[in-house]
Amino acid sequence: MLAEYEIFVRALEEGSLSAAARRLDLSPAVASRRLARLEDQLGVRLIERTSRRLAPTEAGRLVYDRAAQLLEGVEDLEAVVSRRTTQARGLLRVSAPTSFGRRRLAPMLQPFLAAQPRLTLELNLSDAFVDLMAEDVDVAVRIGGYEAENPLMHRLAPNRRGLCASPAYLAEHGAPDSLDDLRRHAQLAAENQSTWRLEGPEGPVVFRARSRVRTNSSEVARELALAGGGVALRSTWDVGDELRDGRLKVVLPQYAGSSDVAIFALTAGRARAETRVRAFIDFLSGLYGETPEWDR
């Protein structure tokens, strides 16, 4: 019966029975028969087919959680008995902020994928808040307040931020000489990033940016700053190259983004995904460090 449970688990993780069959080197007909046999054995329907992907029934969700844990346990047992390194397998669902994921995560993923040939990675990029449990995400890469005592948070790198503008903007409008003076300048920020938490000579200060352009995209604010549209608060992972080559200039260097903001990975803490999550966290931890390449 273990083979039938694996077909069921992989079908849900892959989103289709045919994809699960390919992954397990079976024909779709054989996979379908084995799934039907499992449902007959249990006396319940496990999967409902929707227009987008397979979805578990209420009984299916219960069976999936237990069966996925069982398969993980068998894999770990095999690794111990055969004295080989445990490799991750199954589907790993990861979310990350759009720009960071595209610029600083996706280009670095190939070594991880090569080292984990039995794992399938689903990477979703979004600047919206992601509820790991509700959206069935295993790992969320986030940029925000980091809590060292939280065992589900894994610090990956510092997040250094500063105020910047293009030389063209500064040539036309001049550079602000204080935060009060900054208010007369065009400010650029995405909708959910207009509260600028800064640290300056007098300590922490909050600046409420009134963005010249309303947008839900941090990348739009970045591109407008490069085009001479105003002053933006940007992270060095995002604009480090532009600051080095002069396409952007630091303004008000006595102010920097709050130092308690970091780049970290948040895990859901699911036992069924422990092996693949641990492998991914270990990989991420070696990518950046306290002095990531964009700050060198």
Side-chain angles (χ1 to χ4, degrees), residues 1 30 43 69 79 96 102 115 123 211 226 251 266:
M1 290 294 290
V30 169
Q69 289 181 43
R102 197 162 63 203
L123 176 60
S211 184
L226 284 166
V251 299
L266 180 67

Side-chain angles (χ1 to χ4, degrees), residues 80-267:
V80 170
V81 171
S82 61
R83 297 181 181 274
R84 60 179 172 80
T85 302
T86 302
Q87 282 198 329
R89 62 182 292 178
L91 178 66
L92 178 70
R93 291 189 174 94
V94 177
S95 76
T98 302
S99 186
F100 185 86
R102 197 162 63 203
R103 292 167 59 85
R104 302 297 182 179
L105 181 56
M108 286 78 171
L109 285 175
Q110 182 52 32
F112 173 74
L113 297 174
Q116 303 292 345
R118 303 176 73 188
L119 181 141
T120 299
L121 177 67
E122 179 181 300
L123 176 60
N124 295 307
L125 303 182
S126 173
D127 292 329
F129 175 80
V130 175
D131 185 320
L132 276 69
M133 300 306 293
E135 300 182 41
D136 198 22
V137 172
D138 298 308
V139 182
V141 177
R142 289 185 175 173
I143 302 171
Y146 170 73
E147 303 168 9
E149 66 278 5
N150 188 337
L152 299 180
M153 284 186 174
H154 308 267
R155 194 175 192 274
L156 304 177
N159 186 58
R160 298 182 177 91
R161 296 173 297 155
L163 298 164
C164 57
S166 73
Y169 177 86
L170 296 175
E172 182 176 354
H173 301 281
D177 55 22
S178 67
L179 288 182
D180 284 339
D181 189 28
L182 179 59
R183 299 185 191 283
R184 70 174 180 85
H185 285 261
Q187 301 137 37
L188 299 169
E191 287 177 353
N192 61 344
Q193 299 173 356
S194 59
T195 300
W196 293 353
R197 302 186 185 280
L198 306 170
E199 293 178 358
E202 290 80 36
V205 61
V206 175
F207 183 91
R208 309 287 184 184
R210 295 184 177 181
S211 184
R212 179 74 177 78
V213 174
R214 294 182 180 179
T215 177
N216 65 346
S217 170
S218 178
E219 291 184 317
V220 169
R222 176 185 186 274
E223 295 305 312
L224 283 170
L226 284 166
V231 179
L233 177 66
R234 307 303 302 178
S235 298
T236 52
W237 63 258
D238 193 30
V239 297
D241 294 340
E242 290 77 6
L243 289 169
R244 276 191 291 271
D245 65 25
R247 282 179 286 167
L248 288 174
K249 300 289 186 183
V250 174
V251 299
L252 295 175
Q254 65 271 38
Y255 290 95
S258 179
S259 59
D260 65 356
V261 173
I263 302 166
F264 63 92
L266 180 67
T267 59

